[in-house]
Amino acid sequence: MPAPRTYGFTGVSFTLSSPLFGNFATAGQVGLSELHVNMRADHSVLDMASDGTPMPTFIADDSSTVQIVVQQTSIIHSALVQWLNLHESAAKNGDPSLWASSAFTIRSLTDGSQHVANGVMPTKMPDKPYVQQGQKITWTLLVADMQSVSYSVQ
């Protein structure tokens, strides 16, 4: 019987690339706490006529919402603020062409899963707490095309 695979978040990598910002890859302690990939649409819809005739439908929608939870004082939060500011500044100054031009990859060394995102854009600057103790901040990104791929894990 093969040994069970042990999950560890340290085996998860996140790499963001942008024509305005450049590249950012998680490596070491950057303050990343959680990544959540949420597909926005069901691929299947089943309509039933009054006489019981089924009409299945396939919806080709690979868009998603991704939540990135970070420490408020982290390197990754600072990088995401800079990324948003560069894209927002370009859009507000008359060039929105690069608003959804970013991409990222999330990869898990444990289970061989990988998400490849293209057409990435921020929803807004995340809410920021000013309280007694340091907090987590949640970034929500919209993704035009999210592909889930697997690769071989040894």
Side-chain angles (χ1 to χ4, degrees), residues 40 62-66 104 117-120 141-146:
R40 292 171 44 105
D62 290 328
S63 66
S64 71
T65 302
V66 174
F104 68 75
N118 288 293
V120 177
L141 310 181
L142 293 178
V143 177
D145 180 50
M146 177 68 78

Side-chain angles (χ1 to χ4, degrees), residues 75-130:
I75 295 167
I76 190 169
H77 174 63
S78 296
L80 289 168
V81 168
Q82 183 182 5
W83 168 73
L84 180 141
N85 285 338
L86 287 169
H87 284 269
E88 189 173 63
S89 177
K92 286 182 176 178
N93 287 309
D95 184 10
S97 65
L98 298 176
W99 181 250
S101 62
S102 297
F104 68 75
T105 301
I106 301 169
R107 187 174 184 192
S108 172
L109 297 175
T110 306
D111 65 5
S113 63
Q114 179 171 283
H115 284 87
V116 179
N118 288 293
V120 177
M121 62 204 103
T123 56
K124 67 178 182 94
M125 185 69 74
D127 298 336
K128 175 153 179 160
Y130 290 94

Side-chain angles (χ1 to χ4, degrees), residues 11-23:
V12 175
S13 66
F14 172 82
T15 304
L16 172 70
S17 62
S18 155
L20 293 174
F21 174 72
N23 297 324

